[in-house]
Amino acid sequence: MINRTETDIMKKWKGTPDFPLLTIRCNTYNQEAYISQTIDGFLMQETDFPFRIVIHDDASTDKTGEIIKAYTQQYPNIIIPIVEKENQYSKYDGSILRITRPFLMGKYLAFCEGDDYWIDSYKLQKQVDFLEKNPEYVLCYTNFNILHQQNGKMEMNLITTRPDNFKQQYTLEQWLTYPGYTAPMTWVFRKEVFDAFEFIPSCDGTFVQFAHFLHTGKVHCMKEDTTAVYRVLMESASHSSNPHVYYKRIKDLRHVQKVLAKRYNMGLEVERRIDVVYFSRFYKLICLLGTKQERDELAAHCTAFPQKAVLLLSNSPLAKKAMFWVYNHKRG
């Protein structure tokens, strides 16, 4: 636990914790190994405005709840715990959003999962200052690092060191056609815009939310500031070493992309490009794990020789078994 009292945190605040300018929302489940580092990143924030921390413990079965309780006792005016008896995430019905929304107060919201963490004490102040000065922007995010938990490898400043993979700017059409990653644990956004967000069942809620922000207003990337670390685990809500789980996730995301394209009236050409990107990126998985209908759909979209060759080879049980071994070996 961070060596900082509530008085230390609030001494520069222009206001009281009863009326926060910003709420930090943290969802956690069975993250006892990481949650303290996450909460410490919140509590180290140096701001001239009051903020609150809403931590949603989604029925953890480890010691995550005990750790949150200890922090709440130490910071009762800042931390608000929400403890579930039944896991809500697994329902995929928006229940987490409905449960936490009444506790989200203020003009701005920030978001960080219970296994990621912040490393810049002035993160919130910088982002709020930007949004206060630029009312046309609805969200800003920052540069970030990636920690590969399995081997301890840290990749630094991804937005500037790997700009082809992690872009600074998206249009709504680009985001829906070729989904990227914008480090949700770095987001600060306007609550009034988030309040207008309509839930869609999805394996990736932040993808849907970012589309909403792009549709609503301007989004800014603070590439000069690296404020947080994204922790990559072997198994989590967004990552899995199981190819069947991964395949289910990418199929779900494709469906959501098309739902959003219709919601925002993007036109049939955008829906077509969603398919083109999907089949060109994931044809190997479709060959290995797809149903006959999915493989037939792939065949209709095959244009390049590698796609056609892999599809043809996968018709042989022996070749398919070898391909599956190669796929798993590369992922491992």
Side-chain angles (χ1 to χ4, degrees):
M1 185 178 294
I2 192 170
N3 184 22
R4 200 176 186 212
T5 67
E6 273 198 338
T7 302
D8 293 333
I9 296 170
M10 297 189 292
K11 63 183 178 182
K12 295 181 182 178
W13 286 5
K14 300 171 184 176
T16 69
D18 294 330
F19 299 96
L21 182 72
L22 178 146
T23 297
I24 302 165
R25 180 169 66 101
C26 177
N27 296 328
T28 185
Y29 172 72
N30 282 358
Q31 292 167 334
E32 65 172 288
Y34 316 118
I35 190 64
S36 290
Q37 189 172 25
T38 302
I39 299 174
D40 285 349
F42 304 154
L43 296 172
M44 75 178 185
Q45 292 301 302
E46 299 278 357
T47 68
D48 62 11
F49 55 82
F51 62 84
R52 66 161 46 173
I53 303 166
V54 174
I55 305 178
H56 180 265
D57 179 12
D58 201 11
S60 293
T61 57
D62 62 2
K63 295 182 179 180
T64 298
E66 296 176 28
I67 296 170
I68 294 170
K69 183 178 180 180
Y71 273 94
T72 303
Q73 291 172 343
Q74 192 75 16
Y75 303 94
N77 295 301
I78 298 177
I79 297 178
I80 298 175
I82 304 173
V83 181
E84 301 291 350
K85 294 183 178 180
E86 179 185 6
N87 186 268
Q88 302 297 314
Y89 175 81
S90 58
K91 297 179 180 180
Y92 290 99
D93 63 355
S95 55
I96 292 178
L97 188 58
R98 288 195 300 272
I99 290 167
T100 57
R101 254 181 171 160
F103 298 90
L104 307 180
M105 296 180 61
K107 187 176 180 179
Y108 300 106
L109 301 177
F111 177 70
C112 186
E113 296 280 8
D115 53 357
D116 302 324
Y117 59 99
W118 296 348
I119 56 175
D120 185 342
S121 297
Y122 294 91
K123 174 192 184 299
L124 294 182
Q125 188 70 59
K126 292 173 184 176
Q127 292 178 272
V128 167
D129 286 347
F130 174 84
L131 291 171
E132 287 283 273
K133 294 175 183 176
N134 299 277
E136 70 275 22
Y137 286 86
V138 296
L139 176 149
C140 68
Y141 64 102
T142 76
N143 215 330
F144 66 102
N145 300 335
I146 288 181
L147 172 61
H148 298 271
Q149 187 65 32
Q150 185 180 22
N151 57 21
K153 180 184 177 182
M154 182 80 78
E155 296 183 73
M156 309 293 287
N157 310 318
L158 274 298
I159 288 176
T160 48
T161 58
R162 292 172 57 188
D164 291 340
N165 297 88
F166 304 97
K167 300 185 183 300
Q168 300 174 27
Q169 192 172 1
Y170 286 94
T171 64
L172 179 58
E173 182 176 323
Q174 290 169 336
W175 181 251
L176 294 182
T177 305
Y178 206 107
Y181 181 74
T182 56
M185 72 285 181
T186 73
W187 294 1
V188 171
F189 46 94
R190 299 186 187 277
K191 181 177 178 296
E192 64 179 354
V193 176
F194 182 73
D195 286 343
F197 170 71
E198 296 180 23
F199 172 80
I200 293 178
S202 172
C203 63
D204 190 343
T206 55
F207 169 77
V208 181
Q209 292 172 31
F210 197 75
H212 169 71
F213 288 118
L214 288 171
H215 174 71
T216 305
K218 297 173 69 174
V219 170
H220 176 65
C221 174
M222 301 174 69
K223 65 177 181 179
E224 66 280 3
D225 292 297
T226 299
T227 68
V229 176
Y230 174 46
R231 192 189 308 267
V232 177
L233 305 172
M234 283 295 291
E235 297 295 328
S236 67
S238 57
H239 288 87
S240 178
S241 58
N242 185 325
H244 296 275
V245 174
Y246 181 59
Y247 183 49
K248 183 178 184 301
R249 179 179 174 81
I250 63 172
K251 286 196 299 180
D252 175 81
L253 187 59
R254 177 199 177 201
H255 170 73
V256 172
Q257 288 172 261
K258 290 195 163 188
V259 169
L260 291 175
K262 287 184 171 64
R263 169 182 281 188
Y264 299 127
N265 300 312
M266 301 301 291
L268 292 177
E269 178 58 25
V270 170
E271 293 187 51
R272 187 192 70 81
R273 285 206 297 275
I274 289 171
D275 283 339
V276 169
V277 172
Y278 172 78
F279 288 111
S280 64
R281 289 184 69 186
F282 302 115
Y283 68 92
K284 293 179 182 178
L285 263 181
I286 299 169
C287 288
L288 292 174
L289 301 176
T291 64
K292 182 180 184 305
Q293 180 179 346
E294 290 164 348
R295 288 161 57 83
D296 288 345
E297 191 177 6
L298 171 63
H301 285 83
C302 278
T303 56
F305 172 75
Q307 296 174 330
K308 294 179 180 179
V310 171
L311 185 60
L312 182 63
L313 283 171
S314 66
N315 290 324
S316 163
L318 185 61
K320 189 172 183 177
K321 185 175 181 180
M323 290 165 59
F324 195 77
W325 180 90
V326 171
Y327 178 85
N328 278 329
H329 182 71
K330 286 185 177 181
R331 282 181 62 84

